[in-house]
């Protein structure tokens, strides 16, 4: 269970970083390539990077998973 919680927390952070990286790339490439400017993908990417709650949700999920896993480990040693 502890390993699963750490994997979920780590996966959430990797997913969040990947999502940010891809969205920022689409916003950047829209400034370089005029044909992509205003496309649905670029507009979605701009919306996505302005959504602070996604980063907070990923961080809260990670903190909860890591915290609960640490709690489980500490209670095992306390018994």
């Amino acid at each position: 269970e502890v390993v699963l919680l750490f994997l979920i927390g780590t996966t959430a952070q990797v997913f969040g970083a990947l999502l940010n990286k891809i969205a920022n790339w689409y916003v950047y490439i829209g400034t370089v390539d005029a044909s992509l400017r205003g496309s649905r993908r670029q507009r979605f990417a701009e919306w996505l990077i302005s959504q602070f709650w996604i980063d907070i949700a990923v961080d809260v999920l990670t903190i909860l998973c890591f915290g609960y896993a640490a709690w489980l480990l500490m209670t095992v040693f306390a018994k």
Side-chain angles (χ1 to χ4, degrees):
E1 188 175 7
V2 171
V3 172
L4 182 62
L5 287 166
F6 276 114
L7 286 175
I8 291 170
T10 304
T11 302
Q13 286 298 307
V14 170
F15 175 74
L18 185 63
L19 192 62
N20 281 329
K21 188 175 290 274
I22 291 170
N24 279 296
W25 182 83
Y26 271 111
V27 170
Y28 164 74
I29 204 68
T31 62
V32 175
D33 186 357
S35 67
L36 290 175
R37 198 169 300 134
S39 68
R40 182 179 296 168
R41 282 182 282 184
Q42 193 206 18
R43 287 193 319 266
F44 178 71
E46 287 176 350
W47 175 84
L48 194 61
I49 63 173
S50 69
Q51 302 303 307
F52 184 62
W53 66 270
I54 296 172
D55 294 324
I56 296 299
V58 167
D59 290 344
V60 167
L61 174 65
T62 301
I63 290 168
L64 289 174
C65 286
F66 285 5
Y68 186 56
W71 175 260
L72 288 175
L73 284 174
M74 294 302 161
T75 58
V76 165
F77 291 119
K79 291 182 182 180

